[in-house]
Amino acid sequence: MNKRILVTGGLGYIGSHTVIALHENNYEVVIVDNLSNSDKSFLKKITDITGKSPDFECFDLTDLIPLKRFFDTHPIDGIIHFAAFKAVRESVKIPLKYYYNNLVSLIQLLQEFQARGLDNFIFSSSCTVYGQADKLPIKEDAPLKPLESPYGSTKQMSEQILRDYANIHIKKVVSLRYFNPIGAHLSIKIGEFPLGIPQNLVPFITQTAIGMHPKLSIFGGDYNTKDGTAIRDYIHVYDLAKAHVAALSRLLRGKNRSSFEVFNLGTGRGHSVLEVVKAFERILNKSFDYQIIDRRSGDIEAAYADTSLAEKELGWKAEISLEEALQTAWAWEKKIASDKEKF
Ligand code: UFG
């Protein structure tokens, strides 16, 4: 019998790519998503890509009645928990929305998980938990710094909740700390749908190139980096998705070394904002309009992953280059534009 996995937030950006990777590795998937930042049309697209239809339940994890009913009716072998709010800037303005949603949903999910004697839990975390790390590349044992954004704090708090829970109840829990996910599935059938004006670099670049914004503003040209712009580790979303399958398989085979494990998911390579812009110009085969303005508050100077732990323990390594990832992001942006024209 194939294992059956609950994917919360499974219609979101990283969640939907992970559902595809799970299908491709013969897992059955049931998605729970409240559609607050995702689109139901992705269900059909997942089926188009994999030939399999995930089960789908639409409810909010902070809502206990449907949550209990879900577990009463769906036997599962593990959970990958993506569902959370993720807009860094909004979280500064409306902190309670983030603390309530991201923490209450996690706690209620864990209470049901515990009450039903379930095991194997994968959490969607972020390299934001490190703040500006003292040493690069960043290893998993780097200290976690106080953060400016409630969003980032919910990731740190969620990890603490999971660590305490896993240790006392001897459960298998993994937290995956993503660096900067970019790009779209190689089929260009699914990708990222930012709500409103994108805060993240790559969707802003592709939207500018398609004509939705006059130019890109680069936040900060005076960082202590090779060209003055900030450095990040950009990882293709499908590479990231595959790491979830590797982590799940490790838990299901009981290969974990402790109740609570943490892995960095990045490429191990840092690229500056200007390098990303130049790489994108090579894809467009023309220059791209940008200006360098003041730093964005809360941004760090540089972050890229030490990926050796994930390579050794998960047997996983990112394979898709920055250029290929940007090509998929650009192809996806053009696909969204041509779909809009059709309607
Ligand atoms: N940037 C610009 N102009 C833009 C957008 C971004 O110059 O219009 C720069 C940022 O200043 C930063 C880099 O591009 O130097 C990457 O910015 P993103 O917003 O794409 O990504 P961040 O690293 O700021 O944030 C991302 C995720 C967060 C996560 C964080 C972890 O969006 O959810 O990584 O470090 F918490």
Side-chain angles (χ1 to χ4, degrees), residues 86 88 126-128 151 178-180 198-202 204 216-219 230-232 234 273 296 299-300:
K86 62 171 188 177
V88 178
S126 165
C127 71
T128 199
Y151 157 77
Y178 315 147
F179 281 67
N180 288 59
Q199 308 289 309
N200 294 121
L201 179 65
V202 171
F204 198 93
L216 167 75
S217 293
I218 295 182
F219 302 133
I231 289 181
R232 297 287 185 276
Y234 297 94
V273 177
R296 181 168 72 178
D299 270 0
I300 54 164

Side-chain angles (χ1 to χ4, degrees), residues 53-195:
S53 306
D55 283 349
F56 171 61
E57 299 283 335
C58 183
F59 66 88
D60 195 304
L61 296 170
T62 61
D63 202 346
L64 204 46
I65 292 170
L67 183 64
K68 283 184 179 294
R69 193 182 307 131
F70 172 85
F71 281 105
D72 286 341
T73 49
H74 293 79
I76 54 162
D77 300 294
I79 298 181
I80 306 182
H81 179 43
F82 291 101
F85 291 151
K86 62 171 188 177
V88 178
R89 240 128 279 274
E90 185 190 52
S91 79
V92 175
K93 292 193 187 118
I94 324 173
L96 292 185
K97 174 176 169 180
Y98 278 70
Y99 287 119
Y100 181 79
N101 182 69
N102 293 3
L103 299 180
V104 171
S105 58
L106 173 68
I107 291 167
Q108 294 198 159
L109 196 55
L110 284 178
Q111 281 170 336
E112 293 310 305
F113 184 82
Q114 177 63 14
R116 288 148 208 274
L118 299 175
D119 207 346
N120 310 308
F121 193 103
I122 296 179
F123 178 66
S124 171
S125 188
S126 165
C127 71
T128 199
V129 297
Y130 297 114
Q132 180 57 69
D134 301 323
K135 279 194 229 144
L136 294 169
I138 304 173
K139 280 182 176 292
E140 285 81 353
D141 60 2
L144 307 189
K145 302 272 178 75
L147 299 175
E148 283 185 29
S149 91
Y151 157 77
S153 300
T154 69
K155 292 296 177 193
Q156 288 184 342
M157 291 174 183
S158 295
E159 285 198 357
Q160 187 61 48
I161 290 167
L162 286 163
R163 182 179 288 110
D164 292 345
Y165 168 75
N167 285 344
I168 199 71
H169 294 292
I170 330 273
K171 295 286 181 183
K172 291 178 280 178
V173 177
V174 165
S175 182
L176 299 176
R177 293 178 179 161
Y178 315 147
F179 281 67
N180 288 59
I182 61 165
H185 189 261
L186 300 182
S187 67
I188 317 299
K189 286 185 163 64
I190 64 165
E192 192 173 7
F193 264 124
L195 272 188

Side-chain angles (χ1 to χ4, degrees), residues 241-259:
K242 288 198 283 189
H244 292 75
V245 178
L248 180 65
S249 155
R250 173 183 178 85
L251 295 189
L252 290 169
R253 288 180 294 121
K255 297 286 184 196
N256 55 307
R257 292 184 191 273
S258 61
S259 293

